[in-house]
Amino acid sequence: MSTTAPALSPTLPAATTRPWWYWPAIVVGSILVISTVRVLTGANDIDSSGALTAAIGLAMPLALAGLGGLWSERAGVTNIGLEGMMIVGTWGAAFFGFHYGPWAGILGAVFMGVVFGAIHALATVIFGVDHIVSGVAINLLGAGTGSYLAVRTFTGLPGGGPTQSPPLDQLPFLSVPGLGDALLQLEQSRTWLVADVAGILRAVTTNVNALTIIGVGLLVFTGWFLWRTATGLRLRSCGEAPYAAETLGVNVLRYKFVAVLVSGALAGLAGGFLVLVASNLYREGQTGGRGYIGLAAMIFGNWRPGGLAAGAMLFGYADAIQLRGGGDVIHAYLLPIGLLLLGWGIWALVRRAEGKSLSGGLWRIGMSLLVLAWYAFTTEVPSEFTNMTPYIATLLVLAFSAQRLRMPKADGQVYRKGEAD
């Protein structure tokens, strides 16, 4: 096969080009808004280094699982078996980590994920089984296999049992020397914007786990590989127009199979993160449906690594806030949400002159008044609502972003070599 990329661009959709300053402006604007809300409401935990550190730890397994789904679905293979692959990854990390150390635990998690990825690839790519059916089977098989292996391998060990492993050594935590204490002092000053930037910098430079750094590197590598290399272009062509790619000499079956193996490896690594970083042992049911949430983060991110990372961080942040008892933080967010709805409604009314519907603007203004009244007449959100915040936030974001989402055209379709119309 030629080392240069085949001319596949006519079959792939053109990417939307934004100016270089678009995302930096979004980030800076968000920090300004959050800093202002913190000062006005006194909810200092809204962007504290502690909250952000917890958010990163909760977001990383979701990002790794979603990244696994991205590799598979960009090649045209739907993978809802991420949960099962994560489950066996947790066992692999615990078993190999206990016997050979935490770095071997990473390899064990990846190995178990690859094994189950190979099963999914054989079923969908080679034998043409429906992708959803195969994914459900992988989840059931993963849950059963994880429980069985835990009983067989951890029972009788010191501190272990049929539903948990013995305590494990953790991977190292890394810090940039000389920054932690200085940034903490700036953060505790509560100065507008300065304290917020210091908190963010402290969260990403102090006590960062080695596997977190590896995960961020995998996100960056995926974006570069799939969108900046000839091999990545061929892989994406398999998820957009496999028969067109076949006519240009691309070995579609091989690319799909390898992509699903990578997907399994990343999902297994996500399970390993829960064992080696989020805790220091394996527990039955440890994944808690995070494979499905990672899949939702991937969809929210429009099948792209940057959007996926943002979706995972959104859920991780919301989860961290509710775990820290952040009723005051969620209450503080009612103020910008209400003002945003109010501005959105006024903008919709202004556009009525262009033939737009009146009801949409009135509905948004009415919702904004309710939210602002909730903020004005309460001091804290009830704990029952706080516990639901991660799921509500995810559903709302998915609902509002649904119109701009576009999955790969051939995602989930059974491909058989040589059967092009």
Side-chain angles (χ1 to χ4, degrees):
M1 184 183 294
S2 172
T3 57
T4 60
L8 293 171
S9 55
T11 67
L12 298 179
T16 302
T17 302
R18 292 190 174 100
W20 65 267
W21 49 263
Y22 180 82
W23 287 113
I26 293 292
V27 172
V28 172
S30 299
I31 294 173
L32 289 171
V33 170
I34 291 174
S35 179
T36 304
V37 170
R38 177 185 63 81
V39 172
L40 292 176
T41 62
N44 293 315
D45 203 33
I46 195 170
D47 59 355
S48 68
S49 57
L52 295 178
T53 298
I56 293 171
L58 292 166
M60 189 51 62
L62 306 180
L64 288 171
L67 196 62
L70 185 148
W71 273 82
S72 180
E73 300 205 9
R74 276 294 175 180
V77 180
T78 301
N79 188 3
I80 65 168
L82 297 171
E83 178 75 6
M85 297 172 187
M86 284 186 70
I87 292 172
V88 294
T90 60
W91 176 85
F95 178 80
F96 288 93
F98 175 75
H99 290 286
Y100 307 107
W103 291 104
I106 293 178
L107 298 179
V110 170
F111 171 74
M112 292 301 297
V114 168
V115 169
F116 274 67
I119 297 172
H120 187 50
L122 283 171
T124 56
V125 178
I126 305 301
F127 297 112
V129 175
D130 181 89
H131 298 189
I132 303 298
V133 173
S134 177
V136 171
I138 289 292
N139 287 334
L140 296 174
L141 181 63
T145 301
S147 297
Y148 173 78
L149 291 175
V151 171
R152 298 285 294 180
T153 56
F154 298 141
T155 301
L157 294 178
T163 60
Q164 73 173 47
S165 72
L168 306 170
D169 294 332
Q170 285 193 306
L171 292 162
F173 288 81
L174 308 174
S175 300
V176 177
L179 282 183
D181 292 339
L183 290 174
L184 180 60
Q185 289 181 356
L186 289 174
E187 180 185 353
Q188 291 176 341
S189 71
R190 309 303 184 197
T191 306
W192 178 78
L193 193 59
V194 173
D196 306 275
V197 173
I200 294 170
L201 291 177
R202 188 168 188 271
V204 299
T205 60
T206 305
N207 292 329
V208 181
N209 191 269
L211 190 51
T212 299
I213 298 173
I214 293 172
V216 173
L218 289 171
L219 284 164
V220 175
F221 171 79
T222 296
W224 169 79
F225 181 82
L226 292 182
W227 277 270
R228 292 293 184 269
T229 68
T231 305
L233 175 61
R234 295 188 188 103
L235 187 146
R236 288 188 295 120
S237 73
C238 297
E240 296 287 351
Y243 293 109
E246 179 188 323
T247 63
L248 293 170
V250 176
N251 190 331
V252 176
L253 291 178
R254 182 174 66 185
Y255 276 91
K256 285 178 177 287
F257 200 97
V258 171
V260 180
L261 291 183
V262 175
S263 176
L266 291 167
L269 185 60
F273 189 98
L274 295 175
V275 171
L276 299 170
V277 180
S279 64
N280 68 332
L281 48 75
Y282 161 91
R283 287 192 181 93
E284 187 173 340
Q286 194 167 18
T287 58
R290 287 177 174 84
Y292 302 109
I293 301 171
L295 193 65
M298 179 204 68
I299 295 171
F300 161 77
N302 207 14
W303 289 264
R304 286 181 173 270
L308 158 65
M313 192 62 189
L314 170 68
F315 190 93
Y317 176 77
D319 204 12
I321 292 301
Q322 67 94 7
L323 288 175
R324 293 168 66 90
D328 60 330
V329 172
I330 298 171
H331 178 264
Y333 273 114
L334 295 176
L335 178 60
I337 290 173
L339 294 175
L340 177 62
L341 285 171
L342 181 61
W344 193 10
I346 294 173
W347 178 75
L349 291 180
V350 171
R351 294 195 66 191
R352 186 189 174 199
E354 304 174 13
K356 302 298 180 180
S357 172
L358 175 65
S359 59
L362 294 177
W363 176 82
R364 293 177 187 121
I365 291 175
M367 286 297 297
S368 73
L369 295 178
L370 290 176
V371 172
L372 291 173
W374 187 3
Y375 171 78
F377 294 106
T378 61
T379 58
E380 190 172 289
V381 172
S383 59
E384 294 80 6
F385 184 84
T386 303
N387 294 335
M388 297 187 297
T389 300
Y391 309 97
I392 294 174
T394 302
L395 290 173
L396 287 176
V397 170
L398 284 174
F400 281 110
S401 62
Q403 293 182 348
R404 67 172 181 83
L405 300 179
R406 196 203 69 82
M407 65 188 293
K409 289 183 179 179
D411 189 15
Q413 297 179 11
V414 175
Y415 165 81
R416 292 182 174 85
K417 185 176 180 180
E419 293 188 5
D421 293 335

